[in-house]
Structure formats: structure tokens, C-alpha cells
Amino acid sequence: MSATYESFIAAVREIGVLGSVEALLDWDSETYMPEGGLMARAEQISLIASLTHERRTSPKIGEWLSQLEGRVDDPAAQTNVREVRRAYDRATKLPAELVRRLSKVTVVSKEAWGKARADSDFAAFAPHLSELVDLKRQVADLVGYRGERYDALLDEYEPGMTAAEVEAVFTALRGPLSDFVKQIAAAPRKPDASILHRHFPRAAQEKFSRRIAEAIGFDFQCGRLDVSKHPFCSGVGPVDVRLTTRYYEDFFSPSVFGVMHEAGHGMYEQGLPTEHLFTPAGQAVSLGIHESQSRLWENFVGRSREFWEGLYPECRSNFSEALGSVALDDFHAAINIVEPSFIRVEADEVTYNLHIILRFEIERALIGGKLEARDVPEAWNAKMKEVLGITPPDAARGCLQDIHWSAGLFGYFPTYALGNLYAAQFFEAAEKVMPRLRGDIRAGNFADLLAWLRGNIHQHGMRYLPGELVQRVTGRPLSIEPFLNYVRTKFSPLYGLR
Ligand code: CO
């Protein structure tokens, strides 16, 4: 490897190290930091962030990039040069003044959003949303795009994906999925989900969640599981992954499925190539692919009949007070209840994507200048009625429910639905080469599935962009068919539909 590349990659690694320090400080502030530490922590994080920004935009990086582009042969080196170029261009195209303004407006907007949501008062949030949209339009124009403004924002979370591609997929999905949800809503059979709201002692939940994370392959030698208000997965990379969850004694699902979800993210991190630690070649490729890993374990494995055929006896003896007299069939139906609802984060796997599609349509129109902030509630409610057949009683349960827009995250929502679609396509491909997969899941053997994910997805880091990765792993471009087949095959019998 050339001396230039050696200097370049040493600098890139240090930027990665700084980023991981920031992630740990952030993890700590969500888990163990005493309240009194808040101001000091803010100062620590802000210093690290500005050091990172300074290094990332240093002219030296620009010089190295122009010397190295087209002159490296090794795939990892090519990935690093390509991805550092992308980050460098993004960062240097934005004037410092705009970046400062955006971070200030974001802090104020998040605060205003919290209050507006508590009061269910959209009018109080509208001016902030309007200002943020305006700033993000400026960001998009400066970063540049080929198709439309929204592409520049989406590219940050799902590299290479465009609004037009997302639209094509979502438009095809919207009708059939919405019809299926309405069929389920009208079905005579209704699972009794109240069994999941009996008493589930916290200590038993902790033990059981940890046991499941271990069983599916999360490595506690290189990771931890702790408690936070909102569950997440972060850390230092494959060698040190931090998962969090939360426990409700009157609700079974959040801890068990939350842990499987975060462990899915965590196992992706643990499967990234350690030899490329702290560099793009050793990092996850996109939010959508990340979410595909969490959804695959949470839903395709964790909410399957086979998984509980194996594990339910143990589950029942763990929670004998609540589940002692509940049959497997009733438990399985309850954890798979499908119901049009207002809140995205509580949505089941059939309705979930519809929540995302409406957000995508609205934020794309906002960024594209086809919708003004003040008109969001009306657009929101009309779309809810259209796709889910329900109307939110207030803005708190409508367009004010998510923090994303107040945090300046536009172009982020689609990655959740893309994750579900990728997961279905990956799972279908895995099943094709592993005909015994469902039997393995029943027997509690997850090693082959994890090895398949490692070999096909995790070990590549950022080498292939999401579109390319999906094509390589499944032999075709992103498609809605595997997801639609999956939900129809799984939920029709549960609801007595043909
Ligand atoms: Co996730």
C-alpha cells in the first residue's frame, strides 16, 4: 500500500476513533450518567464533535483523496476512498454558518416539539418545522442532486437510493398492503392480546431477554445489554456493541422483541470486519440494511411460529403466573396481532410500512416545495384515512408523534420500511439455500442463519452500496414481492383469511 494511503488511512482511523468516543459518551448519558453530569457531558460531546468535524473537513483529506482516487486496487481501500470522498464533499459543501444555524435551530425545535406534542398543539410547532424545512432545502441545494432535492437528504442514510426509486417501491406496496390490512380488520377472528398485559416480573424478563439474545448469537464478550428510556444499539464497532432495552411489568412484548431487534442490529455490528475497525470498510452500509438485520431477527425469526414452538415451554415456566394456562396458538396469535393504529412505534409488522409511506410522501412534498408546514396535519390525516382507514383524534397521535423532523431528520423515515423489505428479500434468499431453516429455528439452532448473514452481508462492511448488495445477495433488485408473500402467508391463516 502506498505511503499516501497509509497516511490517509491513519487520519481516517483517528476520525473513526473520535466518533466512537462520542458514541460511548452518548451511550453513557442514556444509561448510567447521573442527572448532574448533563452540562459537563454536553461540553465533552460538543468538543469531540467539533474536533471530528475539523479533521473530517481538513484540506489535507482533500489532497489525499485527489492523489488516491483511481489509484487504489484493494477493495477495502477503494471503499475507504469512495466513502471518505462522499463524507468530505458533504461536509465541505456546507458553510460553517449554515451548519451552526441548523444545529441551533434543531435544539430549539426539539424542545418546541416536545412541548407541542404534550399540548397536542401543532400551531406551536409549525413555525419551527417551516424553518427546518427551509434550512434542509438549502442543505440539499448545496450538497447537490441529480433527480430532486429530497435525493440529497435520503443519500445520507441510504447511499445511492433516490426518491424516485423509493416512490416506485412504495407506490406498488401501498394499495395491496392497505387492502390486506382492511381485510384483516374485517376478519371474524381476533386474537386476544390482553394476555400480553398480565404481570411479567422484571427480573424474569431480564433473564429471558438476555437468554434469547445469547441464543440467537449476540456475543456478550463483545457487547452489553443495559436499560434506557428509548431502546437503541450503538458502541465502538464489532469489538464492543452496546444494546439497550426497557422493561414493563404489565407488557411482555417490548423487552423480548425489543432485545431481539437491537440484538439484530448488534449482530450486524459484531459481524463487521474487525481488520477495518474505525474505517468505512469496517462499518455498516446504510440505515436500511441495518434495519433489515434487526427486523429479520425480531419478526421473521422472533415472531414466527417455529421460534415459539421451540421456546414457548421455557417462556411459560418463566412467566407461569401470566402464561401458565395460555396455549401456544393463543400466544403466537397475540404477539402477531394486526390492528390499524395511530402510533408508528407501536405498529405491527403489517401496518408499519403504511405509517412510513405516508411520512415519506409528506416529507418529500415538504422538501420539494409542494407542501407547506402549516398544511401537514391535514395532509397527514387524509393519508391516514386513505391507507389505514382511521383518523387521529389529535396532532399528538398524528403528525406530532415522531421526533425526527424536529431533529432535522428528513429522508430518514424510508429506511425503516426499506429495512422490512430487505429483510423479507434476504430471508427468502436464505430459505432457498437453507431448506431446513425453519426446522433449525424450531430446534433453537440459529448458527447457520447467522453465518449466512455474516458471509453475505456483514463481512462486506460498506463495500457494496445497498442496491448492489441486495442484487448480489438475492439475485435481483429490491422488490416488494417477498414482503407481500411473507405477510400473506403468515397472517392469512392467523386471521382465518383465504
Ligand atoms: Co432499529
Side-chain angles (χ1 to χ4, degrees):
M1 204 54 66
S2 73
T4 310
Y5 184 78
E6 293 299 338
S7 316
F8 163 80
I9 205 63
V12 168
R13 276 181 64 89
E14 286 192 1
I15 296 169
V17 171
L18 283 169
S20 73
V21 171
E22 191 184 335
L24 272 196
L25 287 171
D26 197 52
W27 167 83
D28 176 70
S29 67
E30 300 287 336
T31 50
Y32 291 104
M33 186 188 76
E35 228 176 284
L38 194 64
M39 295 314 285
R41 181 56 45 88
E43 221 174 301
Q44 293 175 305
I45 289 180
S46 131
L47 177 60
I48 301 272
S50 77
L51 287 174
T52 310
H53 181 76
E54 206 177 290
R55 288 183 175 223
R56 200 174 267 155
T57 55
S58 141
K60 196 73 201 150
I61 296 276
E63 284 169 33
W64 280 322
L65 282 172
S66 41
Q67 287 165 29
L68 291 167
E69 276 165 337
R71 295 198 192 94
V72 284
D73 305 320
D74 172 62
Q78 285 171 346
T79 303
N80 285 329
V81 168
R82 184 194 76 212
E83 287 305 317
V84 172
R85 164 61 75 190
R86 175 208 299 282
Y88 179 79
D89 282 353
R90 265 199 105 87
T92 53
K93 279 174 179 170
L94 303 179
E97 174 53 28
L98 178 62
V99 174
R100 261 197 301 275
R101 202 171 138 64
L102 197 58
S103 84
K104 216 166 134 185
V105 169
T106 307
V107 172
V108 177
S109 298
K110 277 200 278 190
E111 179 88 25
W113 165 78
K115 205 177 164 311
R117 184 171 78 155
D119 302 340
S120 198
D121 178 9
F122 181 78
F125 179 59
H128 300 280
L129 180 59
S130 174
E131 190 175 13
L132 276 166
V133 167
D134 182 56
L135 290 170
K136 295 306 272 195
R137 285 175 186 159
Q138 292 180 41
V139 167
D141 288 341
L142 287 160
V143 168
Y145 48 85
R146 260 180 298 182
E148 60 184 275
R149 261 192 200 139
Y150 187 86
D151 293 347
L153 305 180
L154 177 63
D155 192 69
E156 193 171 346
Y157 311 110
E158 205 59 15
M161 183 74 80
T162 66
E165 287 172 278
V166 173
E167 184 196 355
V169 172
F170 284 4
T171 305
L173 188 62
R174 202 183 199 266
L177 196 54
S178 172
D179 289 346
F180 189 57
V181 169
K182 283 166 192 162
Q183 259 180 286
I184 287 178
R189 196 177 296 171
K190 290 265 182 294
D192 174 14
S194 73
I195 56 173
L196 304 175
H197 289 277
R198 294 176 177 171
H199 183 65
F200 296 88
R202 183 182 159 128
Q205 287 193 53
E206 284 182 7
K207 190 178 132 217
F208 192 58
S209 306
R210 197 185 154 90
R211 144 99 173 86
I212 291 181
E214 232 158 18
I216 60 177
F218 183 76
D219 177 6
F220 280 92
Q221 289 295 313
C222 294
R224 289 185 57 89
L225 172 61
D226 296 275
V227 175
S228 69
K229 217 166 124 201
H230 301 285
F232 63 89
C233 165
S234 79
V236 178
V239 293
D240 181 355
V241 177
R242 308 296 173 100
L243 313 179
T244 72
T245 192
R246 51 189 166 182
Y247 300 98
Y248 301 102
E249 293 213 305
D250 61 354
F251 194 9
F252 172 84
S253 302
S255 66
V256 167
F257 296 111
V259 165
M260 288 192 84
H261 181 98
E262 299 309 332
H265 282 303
M267 291 188 289
Y268 181 15
E269 290 289 324
Q270 289 181 336
L272 292 166
T274 40
E275 68 270 30
H276 301 304
L277 185 66
F278 299 129
T279 70
Q283 282 158 2
V285 62
S286 76
L287 291 186
I289 297 296
H290 229 307
E291 193 68 5
S292 77
Q293 301 305 290
S294 58
R295 288 302 208 170
L296 189 142
W297 288 102
E298 176 196 357
N299 291 334
F300 292 75
V301 175
R303 283 188 164 88
S304 71
R305 168 93 195 182
E306 293 81 8
F307 184 74
W308 291 103
E309 278 170 26
L311 202 65
Y312 191 59
E314 184 183 331
C315 178
R316 190 151 56 174
S317 64
N318 248 292
F319 304 105
S320 53
E321 184 198 328
L323 300 175
S325 60
V326 174
L328 171 62
D329 275 337
D330 297 328
F331 173 79
H332 181 242
I335 61 170
N336 283 297
I337 188 160
V338 176
E339 225 166 17
S341 63
F342 301 117
I343 307 296
R344 171 186 63 87
V345 296
E346 294 165 7
D348 56 80
E349 54 180 324
V350 184
T351 57
Y352 191 92
N353 287 341
L354 294 168
H355 289 265
I356 297 305
I357 292 173
L358 87 89
R359 284 159 178 75
F360 163 72
E361 291 175 353
I362 290 174
E363 66 179 16
R364 184 189 190 194
L366 281 171
I367 297 300
K370 292 176 181 137
L371 180 73
E372 291 309 316
R374 62 171 180 276
D375 300 322
V376 165
E378 203 184 320
W380 185 287
N381 292 354
K383 285 178 192 293
M384 271 305 265
K385 183 86 198 155
E386 227 178 283
V387 296
L388 284 172
I390 53 175
T391 307
D394 50 40
R397 278 170 281 184
C399 64
L400 281 180
Q401 65 182 272
D402 297 304
I403 194 171
H404 300 61
W405 290 338
S406 76
L409 301 175
F410 293 84
Y412 188 113
F413 279 126
T415 66
Y416 293 122
L418 292 172
N420 290 326
L421 301 178
Y422 294 144
Q425 201 162 330
F426 290 149
F427 196 78
E428 188 190 83
E431 225 181 336
K432 238 172 235 159
V433 294
M434 291 183 279
R436 291 192 327 266
L437 180 57
R438 285 176 192 273
D440 283 349
I441 291 173
R442 187 180 297 117
N445 169 22
F446 307 101
D448 288 354
L449 176 58
L450 182 57
W452 186 87
L453 295 168
R454 290 251 195 278
N456 284 286
I457 299 162
H458 306 174
Q459 66 159 9
H460 295 308
M462 293 192 96
R463 180 163 175 191
Y464 307 109
L465 293 185
E468 206 183 342
L469 184 69
V470 169
Q471 176 76 50
R472 282 182 60 95
V473 177
T474 69
R476 60 171 167 163
L478 173 62
S479 152
I480 60 166
E481 293 312 322
F483 180 79
L484 282 176
N485 286 341
Y486 162 74
V487 293
R488 283 178 180 140
T489 309
K490 173 173 171 179
F491 291 93
S492 297
L494 275 171
Y495 279 87
L497 303 171
R498 278 187 304 132

